[in-house]
Amino acid sequence: MRHLKLLQQVSEIAKAGSIRQAAERMNITASAMNRKIQDLELEIGTPIFERRARGVKLTTAGELFVRYARSQIADAERLSSQVEDLRGLRRGPVKIACSQALALDFLPFQIGEFRKDNPRLVFDLKVMDHNAAINALVEYDVDLALVYRAYMRPGIRILTSLPQRLVAIMREDHPLASKQVLRLSDCVGQPLALPDQSLGGRQVLDEVIARRDFRFDIMAESNSFEMLRGLVLRGNMISFQIEAGAPRQDFGMGLVGRPIDERDIPRSDLVLCQLRGRVLPIAASSFADRLVKAMT
């Protein structure tokens, strides 16, 4: 599969926007990489990259070729996974893009349980917002995406979805912790630490706030759920997260989650998806099956 090295080089150059940077990442000289690309362009009869003073840009033909290259690379990885499966190795890696909310408990728990029967299996996990996760699927950077309120494209296949309530996160000793379910109005006058506007939970809140006459005391915003949990614990603030990512008392973190009444904020879906038409490597397909069972 020597031709795959060239396809990987083309993909890396497209990602980096620079032959020099791509060559450094792949530990070869820029001149050698450039010669290979020139030979390829001569072979297919059209330029793949437009050379500029600062880096390179894909031509229209180059965009088509990069999609082909990434498809071939993904197929080769699947074949490698199948061969290893026959040899009893099943090493993966399983490449997943996921929302931050799943990084604390849900996805680590599922991986831990799955590895009891597949101890050699390797995972490559990328935490990113929903738009970036879908882009990663399209670019063949990941096998699966597990995201909240994802914007679906025609080329994306939904494997399963799980409705999620929005949950208020607070300290165990917070006055509102005595309630089992909160109205959003309960949080008025309380200092809040909110996810920033790139995150699904904040987008849900903003949609509700735009329709209601709430005056929230927003004391902090962050794109990090770890930072938000720290502000809740140390600053006695309230934050919001979907229920799959909400800390529980048995975590020993001193935090609790209280769901928001669905009359104020309806449920939105946590979605597991893959690229439509792509045959997943065996390891990724097996783990996807587990996630589907866990979410249904």
Side-chain angles (χ1 to χ4, degrees), residues 50-80:
E50 177 186 339
R51 272 74 169 176
R52 297 183 171 186
R54 295 183 178 179
V56 295
K57 180 181 178 181
L58 284 169
T59 63
T60 301
E63 291 176 354
L64 292 173
F65 190 86
V66 165
R67 283 199 290 271
Y68 161 78
R70 289 172 176 166
S71 175
Q72 292 295 303
I73 293 167
D75 285 346
E77 290 175 349
R78 177 172 59 87
L79 175 60
S80 177

Side-chain angles (χ1 to χ4, degrees), residues 2-198:
R2 293 182 180 179
H3 69 286
L4 286 176
K5 292 184 179 180
L6 180 57
L7 298 181
Q8 289 166 346
Q9 290 175 14
V10 172
S11 178
E12 190 62 37
I13 294 170
K15 189 179 300 183
S18 165
I19 292 177
R20 179 184 57 79
Q21 291 181 19
E24 289 177 354
R25 293 175 186 177
M26 301 192 74
N27 198 30
I28 64 175
T29 66
S31 59
M33 179 177 281
N34 190 47
R35 283 195 301 271
K36 290 183 179 180
I37 298 303
Q38 289 175 334
D39 289 342
L40 175 62
E41 290 174 325
L42 183 63
E43 181 179 346
I44 64 177
T46 187
I48 296 175
F49 295 103
E50 177 186 339
R51 272 74 169 176
R52 297 183 171 186
R54 295 183 178 179
V56 295
K57 180 181 178 181
L58 284 169
T59 63
T60 301
E63 291 176 354
L64 292 173
F65 190 86
V66 165
R67 283 199 290 271
Y68 161 78
R70 289 172 176 166
S71 175
Q72 292 295 303
I73 293 167
D75 285 346
E77 290 175 349
R78 177 172 59 87
L79 175 60
S80 177
S81 173
Q82 290 174 331
V83 171
E84 289 185 348
D85 190 66
L86 291 173
R87 294 162 57 189
L89 298 179
R90 301 191 66 171
R91 293 183 297 185
V94 179
K95 296 182 287 187
I96 305 174
C98 72
S99 297
Q100 280 195 62
L102 307 174
L104 175 64
D105 179 54
F106 180 84
L107 200 50
F109 174 79
Q110 297 300 330
I111 290 171
E113 291 298 301
F114 192 69
R115 289 192 69 256
K116 290 179 181 179
D117 296 323
N118 305 274
R120 295 180 62 85
L121 192 58
V122 175
F123 286 81
D124 180 355
L125 305 168
K126 303 180 187 300
V127 177
M128 52 182 63
D129 67 54
H130 44 230
N131 289 329
I134 298 303
N135 286 337
L137 272 183
V138 172
E139 298 296 328
Y140 288 87
D141 288 337
V142 296
D143 304 313
L144 302 165
L146 185 58
V147 287
Y148 177 62
R149 297 191 90 222
Y151 175 73
M152 289 294 107
R153 302 182 189 177
I156 302 300
R157 176 191 172 202
I158 296 176
L159 300 177
T160 191
S161 60
L162 178 64
Q164 291 285 289
R165 291 186 295 182
L166 200 65
V167 174
I169 309 301
M170 64 196 72
R171 286 189 351 192
E172 292 176 339
D173 60 355
H174 194 282
L176 293 180
S178 60
K179 295 189 174 186
Q180 294 304 305
V181 178
L182 299 181
R183 297 301 300 263
L184 204 54
S185 57
D186 293 331
C187 301
V188 173
Q190 301 289 340
L192 304 182
L194 298 187
D196 76 8
Q197 294 177 340
S198 70

Side-chain angles (χ1 to χ4, degrees), residues 263-278:
R263 289 174 291 178
D264 294 330
I265 301 180
R267 301 185 187 213
S268 294
D269 285 341
L270 175 67
V271 177
L272 175 66
C273 50
Q274 71 168 85
L275 194 61
R276 187 177 298 279
R278 179 179 177 187

